[in-house]
Amino acid sequence: MSTSKTPGLRDRKRTETAARIHAAALSLVLSGGLDAATIEAISEKADVSPRTFFNYYEGKDAAILGIQPDTSDDAVFEDVLADAEAGSGEPLALVIRLVLATMGTSTHVHSPARQADRMAVMGRHPELITGQFAQLAARRTRTVEYAARILAAHPAWAADPESAPSTPLVIALCGAAVKSAIEDWAATTPGQPLDENHLEERALALVHHTIRSLS
């Protein structure tokens, strides 16, 4: 379910410019490495000024990952919440999907082709993964809000809200599992495209393993 409105011309142009800068950054990294993707080189390739660049991204790492401070992915969040309310999917799996969307890892946020390039870049340069978790921290309030609604939609916890787990702790656990899953992928299959479903499944397996180990 999507509640997003059709974007106006100004919003479309802004989205297109952001995408062009992001694509330019990815292209430069894939062809010449991180050092080749300077802000000046990215701006030139995207046909924008360095000053305009900073209207869209905080720095080159953000441009490479496609992380914009003002990016709204409410439609993705609403889709995940709709699945929870429809009883479609395990709550922890849905929280993991929420975390992925918040980090910009989800293919719902980026086109499959660009997502493949992003994951290839991350495979070659796993140090960039840290930037994705800065995104999760920056959007913590909204992520907690939606995660709480996802957990509350579970029949057992809806009937007894006091028994529901701590939402921030669930997000922390799911976020750590996603980070481990991405790092495992980057270490074992560098440069290979990442299957988003596999990432979700791997992160969920790590969460369950951790819970079992502690119980």
Side-chain angles (χ1 to χ4, degrees), residues 163-177:
S163 67
S166 165
T167 303
L169 289 179
V170 170
I171 291 175
L173 178 57
C174 290

Side-chain angles (χ1 to χ4, degrees), residues 53-160:
F53 172 96
F54 285 107
N55 289 334
Y56 292 86
Y57 297 102
E58 294 179 349
K60 84 170 197 176
D61 285 1
I64 293 167
L65 293 171
I67 296 175
Q68 293 178 264
D70 60 350
T71 296
S72 175
D73 40 15
D74 287 340
V76 180
F77 277 44
E78 289 291 340
D79 285 343
V80 178
L81 180 60
D83 285 342
E85 292 174 340
S88 176
E90 179 185 345
L92 289 175
L94 294 173
V95 173
I96 286 171
R97 195 172 304 163
L98 194 73
V99 168
L100 290 170
T102 303
M103 292 165 52
T105 303
S106 171
T107 53
H108 296 291
V109 178
H110 295 283
S111 69
R114 190 162 296 135
Q115 173 70 346
D117 286 344
R118 289 176 74 250
M119 299 312 289
V121 165
M122 287 170 56
R124 297 181 191 180
H125 305 283
E127 64 271 25
L128 290 172
I129 296 171
T130 302
Q132 290 188 303
F133 286 85
Q135 177 81 337
L136 182 60
R139 299 185 182 184
R140 183 177 183 278
T141 299
R142 189 179 55 157
T143 307
V144 167
E145 175 193 345
Y146 274 85
R149 293 167 68 185
I150 288 170
L151 297 176
H154 189 276
W157 297 327
D160 182 12

